[in-house]
C-alpha cells in the first residue's frame, strides 16, 4: 500500500488564488517572497497568462529558472512570460520588488522549485541565487537569457525561432547566452536560420546527430569553426570511408575548422568510418590538451593507434574510450605505449568489445598498476582467460581509487562451440571471490558474459569479499 502524500497547504492556497486572476495580480505587492514560487508554479501549470505576465514584472529573485518547469514548450505560457518581460524592459525604472536579472530556459533549476514547493528541505534563497552574480558580472545588459538549443522536432524549432526573434527585438537590452547545442533535425535551412541568430562564440558544447555523410558534416564545418570556445564535441555515426575525392575534401574541410577550436577538451566520435588510417588528420588539428577522447565502433589501423599514443595533446587525458574498436590484430605493445603516455592522469578506461586477447591484457598489466588515478576499468566483451583475470586483479589491487571494475566471464566459462556454461561460470566466480578475499582490500567487481554490465543487464553479477 503506497503512502498518501497530500498537497501542502501553501500549494492548495496558490492553486485557489490563481483561479481569480484579478485577485492574484492585486495581491502580488503584499505577498512574501516565499509564496512567489508556489504561486508561479500554479499559474504556469494552469496556464494563467495574465498572472504569469504580472508575476514576471514583480519577481523578487535574481533568477527565474523557467526551463525547470517546461517538459515541453507551450507557446501561450511562454508568450505570457515574454510579454511581462516586454513591459519590464520598456520601463526605465524597474518596480521596487523586481530583482530579475536572469531568465534561465535550460533544463535546470528543479532544485529551486522543489525547495520552495517543500519537496526537499528549505535553504535560504541567497544560496540558490549565488551563481547569478558571477554570471551577471560578465555583461552590462539588464537581462541575461540562458538557453540550450536542441534542434530536433518541428515544435522545438518553431519555439526557438519565436524566442530568438523576441531576443532580436530587444537587441542591446538582452544578453543571450547559449552554451550547449544539440542538432538532430535534418532541416538544414532551419538550422542555419536559428544558428544565425545565436552568438556562436558563447557555445561550449556541440552534439551533432544528423551527420550521416561527410558532405553534410563539411557543410556544417564553417559554423563549427565560429564556435571557438567549444570544449566538448560529440559526433554521431558518420558513414563514408573517404574513398572518393569529394569525401577526402570534405574531411579536410572539417578538420581545418577543428583547428579553430582552441579550447576543445572532450572529443567523442561514434562510428566514424572515415577515420580508418586517417586519425592523424584529426589529432594534428588539436591545439590544446584533451581531457577525454572517445572513438567507438569503428575500424582503426596500427598507424592510427601509434599516432594516438604519440599525440602530444593527450598527456593529461582523464578518459579513454575505445569501445568497439577491434584491436585483435594489433601488436600488444601498442596499447602499452598508449597507456604509458596517460598513466599519470587516466581516470576512466573503456576497452569493451575490442577483441582483446590474453597477450594484449598481459602487455598492459604493468602500466595499469601505475595508473594511480584510475577509477573505472571496463574490458567486457573480450575473450580473457581465468589466469589472466586473476593476474589483473592482483596488479590493480594497489589502485585505491578504482571503484568500478567491469570484466568479462572467463574464457573457461564457454564450450568449444562458444556456449556459456552457467555452472562453470559460478565456479569461476567463486574462485575470483577467494582471490579478492586473499587480497584483503574491499572491492566490488562485475563479471558478466554480457558486453555492458553497468547498463542494468540482468545477467550481471558482482563479487565483493565484504558484501
Amino acid at each position: 500500500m503506497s503512502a498518501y502524500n497530500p498537497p501542502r497547504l501553501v500549494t492548495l492556497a496558490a492553486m485557489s488564488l490563481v483561479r481569480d486572476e484579478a485577485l492574484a495580480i492585486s495581491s502580488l505587492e503584499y505577498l512574501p517572497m516565499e509564496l512567489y514560487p508556489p504561486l508561479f508554479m500554479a499559474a504556469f501549470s494552469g496556464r494563467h497568462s495574465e498572472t504569469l505576465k504580472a508575476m514576471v514584472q514583480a519577481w523578487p529573485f535574481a533568477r527565474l529558472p523557467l526551463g525547470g518547469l517546461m517538459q515541453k514548450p507551450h507557446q501561450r505560457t511562454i508568450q505570457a512570460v515574454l510579454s511581462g518581460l516586454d513591459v519590464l524592459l520598456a520601463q526605465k525604472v524597474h518596480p521596487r520588488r523586481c530583482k530579475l536579472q536572469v531568465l534561465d530556459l535550460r533544463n535546470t533549476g528543479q532544485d529551486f522549485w522543489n525547495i520552495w514547493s517543500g519537496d526537499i528541505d528549505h535553504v535560504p534563497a541567497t544560496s540558490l541565487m549565488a551563481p547569478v552574480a558571477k554570471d551577471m558580472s560578465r555583461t552590462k545588459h539588464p537581462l541575461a537569457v540562458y538557453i540550450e538549443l536542441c534542434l530536433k522536432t518541428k515544435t522545438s524549432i518553431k519555439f526557438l525561432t519565436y524566442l530568438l526573434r523576441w531576443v532580436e527585438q530587444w537587441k542591446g537590452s538582452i544578453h543571450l547566452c547559449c552554451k550547449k547545442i544539440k542538432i538532430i533535425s535534418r532541416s538544414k535551412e532551419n538550422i542555419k536560420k536559428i544558428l544565425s541568430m545565436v552568438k556562436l562564440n558563447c557555445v561550449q558544447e556541440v552534439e551533432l546527430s544528423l551527420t550521416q555523410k561527410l558532405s553534410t558534416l563539411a557543410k556544417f564545418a564553417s559554423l563549427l569553426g565560429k564556435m571557438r570556445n567549444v570544449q566538448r564535441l560529440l559526433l554521431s555515426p558518420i558513414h563514408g570511408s573517404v574513398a572518393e575525392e569529394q569525401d577526402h575534401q570534405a574531411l579536410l574541410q572539417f578538420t581545418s575548422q577543428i583547428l579553430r577550436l582552441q579550447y576543445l577538451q572532450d572529443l567523442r566520435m561514434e562510428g566514424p568510418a572515415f577515420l580508418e588510417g586517417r586519425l592523424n588528420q584529426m589529432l594534428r588539428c588539436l591545439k590544446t590538451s584533451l581531457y577525454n577522447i572517445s572513438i567507438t565502433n569503428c575500424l582503426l589501423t596500427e598507424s592510427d593507434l601509434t599516432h594516438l599514443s604519440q599525440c602530444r595533446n593527450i598527456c593529461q587525458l582523464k578518459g579513454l574510450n575505445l569501445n568497439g574498436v577491434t584491436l585483435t590484430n594489433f601488436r600488444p605493445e601498442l596499447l602499452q605505449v598508449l597507456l604509458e603516455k596517460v598513466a599519470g592522469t587516466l581516470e576512466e578506461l573503456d576497452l569493451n568489445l575490442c577483441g582483446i586477447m590474453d597477450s594484449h591484457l598481459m602487455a598492459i598489466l604493468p602500466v595499469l598498476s601505475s595508473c594511480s588515478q584510475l577509477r573505472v576499468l571496463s574490458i567486457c566483451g573480450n575473450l580473457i582467460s581465468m589466469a589472466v583475470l586473476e593476474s589483473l586483479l592482483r596488479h590493480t589491487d594497489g589502485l585505491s581509487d578504482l571503484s568500478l571494475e567491469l570484466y568479462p566471464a572467463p574464457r573457461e566459462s564457454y564450450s568449444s562451440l562458444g556456449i556459456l556454461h552457467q555452472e562453470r561460470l559460478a565456479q569461476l566466480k567463486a574462485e575470483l571471490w577467494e582471490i579478492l578475499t586473499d587480497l584483503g582490500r574491499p572491492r566490488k567487481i562485475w563479471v558478466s558474459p554480457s558486453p555492458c554490465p553497468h547498463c542494468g543487464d540482468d545477467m550481471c553479477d558482482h563479487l565483493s569479499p565484504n558484501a
Side-chain angles (χ1 to χ4, degrees):
M1 182 175 178
S2 60
Y4 173 60
N5 294 317
R8 298 173 71 240
L9 182 60
V10 67
T11 303
L12 293 173
M15 294 171 63
S16 176
L17 183 58
V18 294
R19 293 192 186 104
D20 186 340
E21 285 205 300
L23 179 60
I25 293 171
S26 63
S27 302
L28 293 179
E29 184 177 353
Y30 308 102
L31 284 181
M33 63 184 296
E34 290 82 359
L35 297 183
Y36 267 74
L39 184 60
F40 191 94
M41 285 187 282
F44 190 88
S45 61
R47 298 178 182 177
H48 298 283
S49 299
E50 293 302 316
T51 303
L52 288 174
K53 181 178 178 180
M55 291 199 73
V56 170
Q57 299 171 55
W59 192 246
F61 303 98
R63 175 170 166 257
L64 175 56
L66 189 61
L69 295 180
M70 296 192 302
Q71 297 296 324
K72 293 182 180 179
H74 185 264
Q75 194 79 2
R76 184 180 172 186
T77 50
I78 293 298
Q79 285 177 342
V81 171
L82 298 187
S83 294
L85 290 174
D86 284 335
V87 176
L88 199 60
L89 291 168
Q91 296 175 346
K92 292 184 179 180
V93 179
H94 282 195
R96 176 181 57 86
R97 296 205 66 176
C98 185
K99 302 291 190 296
L100 186 59
Q101 294 178 308
V102 173
L103 174 64
D104 195 340
L105 297 176
R106 298 170 296 182
N107 186 26
T108 58
Q110 286 83 0
D111 283 350
F112 174 87
W113 302 111
N114 289 337
I115 287 170
W116 286 111
S117 66
D119 290 343
I120 58 179
D121 292 337
H122 176 82
V123 297
T126 51
S127 66
L128 289 171
M129 297 297 107
V132 174
K134 182 178 180 181
D135 290 335
M136 290 305 298
S137 65
R138 301 173 185 174
T139 175
K140 296 180 180 180
H141 298 85
L143 181 67
V145 178
Y146 288 84
I147 63 172
E148 290 180 352
L149 293 184
C150 182
L151 308 181
K152 182 177 182 180
T153 64
K154 290 183 179 180
T155 302
S156 63
I157 291 175
K158 182 179 179 181
F159 164 70
L160 289 170
T161 302
Y162 170 76
L163 174 67
L164 293 173
R165 283 177 177 170
W166 175 81
V167 171
E168 185 66 21
Q169 291 176 0
W170 288 104
K171 187 176 182 180
S173 297
I174 289 179
H175 170 69
L176 179 67
C177 184
C178 176
K179 295 184 178 181
K180 183 177 180 179
I181 293 178
K182 183 176 182 179
I183 301 177
I184 300 176
S185 171
R186 300 183 185 279
S187 176
K188 301 174 186 176
E189 293 74 19
N190 284 330
I191 292 172
K192 290 184 178 180
K193 183 179 180 181
I194 290 178
L195 292 183
S196 67
M197 293 187 258
V198 176
K199 292 183 178 180
L200 298 180
N201 60 354
C202 287
V203 178
Q204 296 180 3
E205 180 176 334
V206 178
E207 181 175 348
L208 299 178
S209 298
L210 80 167
T211 50
Q212 298 298 314
K213 297 180 180 179
L214 274 170
S215 57
T216 307
L217 186 63
K219 292 177 181 177
F220 185 81
S222 60
L223 291 171
L224 180 63
K226 295 177 182 179
M227 304 177 189
R228 301 194 177 189
N229 290 304
V230 166
Q231 298 175 14
R232 192 167 185 250
L233 176 62
L234 294 84
L235 301 179
S236 65
I238 304 170
H239 305 297
S241 58
V242 202
E244 299 180 7
E245 178 62 24
Q246 60 182 13
D247 287 335
H248 180 67
Q249 292 301 320
L251 178 59
L252 290 177
Q253 186 176 348
F254 172 65
T255 54
S256 68
Q257 295 304 313
I258 289 187
L259 183 63
R260 299 173 179 267
L261 307 182
Q262 299 182 11
Y263 302 101
L264 187 63
Q265 298 176 352
D266 190 339
L267 177 61
R268 307 188 184 200
M269 296 179 286
E270 180 184 350
F274 65 88
L275 269 189
E276 185 179 4
R278 294 178 174 83
L279 182 58
N280 64 315
Q281 292 187 32
M282 290 286 294
L283 298 178
R284 70 187 180 193
C285 293
L286 300 175
K287 292 296 182 181
T288 55
S289 294
L290 286 176
Y291 293 133
N292 186 83
I293 186 166
S294 175
I295 304 172
T296 62
N297 301 313
C298 67
L299 294 174
L300 295 180
T301 64
E302 280 203 6
S303 64
D304 289 326
L305 206 58
T306 300
H307 285 299
L308 181 59
S309 64
Q310 294 176 348
C311 179
R312 62 181 181 180
N313 300 96
I314 68 166
C315 57
Q316 298 182 40
L317 204 65
K318 294 183 178 180
L320 175 62
N321 183 359
L322 297 177
N323 190 325
V325 176
T326 303
L327 305 176
T328 307
N329 298 321
F330 289 9
R331 288 180 290 112
E333 295 79 11
L334 284 176
L335 267 180
Q336 178 184 357
V337 174
L338 174 58
L339 292 178
E340 284 176 348
K341 183 78 174 252
V342 299
T345 59
L346 191 65
E347 296 179 2
E348 299 185 15
L349 176 61
D350 188 336
L351 297 175
N352 290 343
L353 296 167
C354 289
I356 289 178
M357 311 291 283
D358 282 354
S359 57
H360 296 93
L361 198 51
M362 288 299 294
I364 65 173
L365 287 186
V367 68
L368 270 180
S369 64
S370 65
C371 293
S372 58
Q373 308 299 314
L374 196 63
R375 295 185 297 105
V376 179
L377 173 61
S378 185
I379 58 170
C380 298
N382 298 294
L383 202 57
I384 307 298
S385 70
M386 180 66 177
V388 173
L389 274 181
E390 177 182 351
S391 185
L392 172 62
L393 292 180
R394 297 190 183 280
H395 272 82
T396 55
D397 185 56
L399 303 180
S400 58
D401 291 334
L402 189 57
S403 57
L404 181 57
E405 303 173 64
L406 310 169
Y407 302 136
R411 186 176 61 204
E412 290 82 356
S413 305
Y414 299 88
S415 70
S416 58
L417 298 177
I419 300 173
L420 179 69
H421 291 292
Q422 293 290 348
E423 292 183 0
R424 178 59 176 154
L425 176 59
Q427 179 183 348
L428 293 173
K429 284 182 177 180
E431 293 179 19
L432 291 173
W433 181 292
E434 292 180 4
I435 295 170
L436 291 175
T437 304
D438 179 58
L439 291 173
R441 185 173 69 86
R443 293 172 70 177
K444 285 188 177 182
I445 67 171
W446 292 86
V447 177
S448 170
S450 64
C452 194
H454 60 294
C455 289
D457 192 302
D458 58 8
M459 297 179 69
C460 299
D461 195 7
H462 71 270
L463 305 175
S464 173
N466 291 12

